[in-house]
Amino acid sequence: MPRTPGRTLGARRRRPAVLAMAVALIAAGGLGGAVLYNSTGQRVSVLALARDVSWGTTLTEEDLVVVRIAGDPALKPLDAADRSKAIGMRATTDLHRGGLLTKADLAQSLVLGPTQLLVGVSAKRTQLPATRLLPGMPVIVVYTADGAKTESLAATVYTVGRVESDGSLVFDAVVGAADAGRLAAWVASGRIQVVVAPRTADAAPAAGAPAPGAPAAGAPTPGAPTPGTPTPGAPTAGAPAAGTPAAGRPGTPAPAGTGGA
């Protein structure tokens, strides 16, 4: 005898629309995920640094390289099509190899601050360090005055000229407006020496200021007695020396008669 299907099986066979809707939803979800992946994973060609570039340096063809990265609205590097525009512009900060190049990293020319001036420094080969000067490099110009007295002034290299056949060089140095005249006078005298300073070093002390740890002019040396303070064991002014009788007191008579005076 054939068996009549149960009510549960009959109910499942009456819902083919639900199955079709589930399949349609799964397909739509997969299609949406694929579209989202393609939109976020799209790769674009942008500019990056092929080598380190210091502040103020003019970019050349060898400094740039084209790389492909995933598009991201948070990243705004220069497009590879802007390569010709970037060449010839100056770096506004120290750029490092592998970093993406942005619009803020470039400028047509560097702008000085309101209290800064440019001073041309002409130096002979023996007055320059062996390290090649680069824009943005901190230096200290040391001046030897009469009597072997030295003064120093901190500056930053702005641009570097061409090295002459005798090794001499002219570079522009950025200094404060108050120090520009002094540096120009030093350069005119020809008695200078250019010293490369570390980037992390603080500004050089002002001319005539004591070196760190040295006592100021007129200050007592540690351990030395202060003027007006009596030295231990020394007689006080107006006091008789040891063994001298005080004023108004008779001296102690010497013992008499110890043999043949």
Side-chain angles (χ1 to χ4, degrees):
M1 296 292 295
R3 295 182 57 185
T4 304
R7 185 174 180 181
T8 303
L9 183 58
R12 291 179 181 175
R13 290 180 179 178
R14 294 192 203 100
R15 298 179 182 178
V18 176
L19 297 177
M21 183 178 297
V23 173
L25 290 176
I26 294 173
L31 181 60
V35 172
L36 181 61
Y37 174 80
N38 291 333
S39 61
T40 57
Q42 184 179 5
R43 306 184 75 83
V44 294
S45 299
V46 297
L47 294 178
L49 278 304
R51 57 187 179 184
D52 292 344
V53 177
S54 26
W55 173 88
T57 303
T58 302
L59 292 181
T60 62
E61 184 77 21
E62 291 75 18
D63 296 327
L64 301 178
V65 64
V66 177
V67 297
R68 293 182 60 82
I69 63 172
D72 192 327
L75 300 177
K76 298 181 180 179
L78 290 179
D79 191 86
D82 298 328
R83 183 168 187 166
S84 59
K85 298 179 182 179
I87 296 175
M89 300 187 72
R90 293 181 179 271
T92 58
T93 184
D94 289 337
L95 305 178
H96 301 285
R97 178 182 177 182
L100 300 180
L101 190 65
T102 64
K103 186 177 181 180
D105 296 332
L106 303 177
Q108 290 290 349
S109 60
L110 300 180
V111 180
L112 296 178
T115 61
Q116 294 178 327
L117 292 177
L118 278 183
V119 178
V121 179
S122 176
K124 300 178 182 179
R125 180 179 58 84
T126 55
Q127 297 173 319
L128 295 168
T131 302
R132 184 168 63 96
L133 297 182
L134 297 173
M137 179 180 291
V139 295
I140 296 177
V141 180
V142 180
Y143 169 66
T144 305
D146 295 332
K149 178 183 177 181
T150 61
E151 299 180 60
S152 61
L153 185 63
T156 303
V157 179
Y158 187 81
T159 53
V160 182
R162 182 173 59 90
V163 180
E164 301 296 336
S165 57
D166 59 353
S168 61
L169 176 69
V170 176
F171 67 93
D172 292 336
V174 180
V175 294
D179 298 323
R182 183 160 54 127
L183 179 58
W186 293 357
V187 174
S189 69
R191 304 172 67 175
I192 63 171
Q193 189 72 32
V194 180
V195 181
V196 176
R199 291 184 182 271
T200 57
D202 296 333
T221 305
T226 305
T229 303
T231 305
T236 307
T244 304
R249 294 183 181 181
T252 305
T258 52

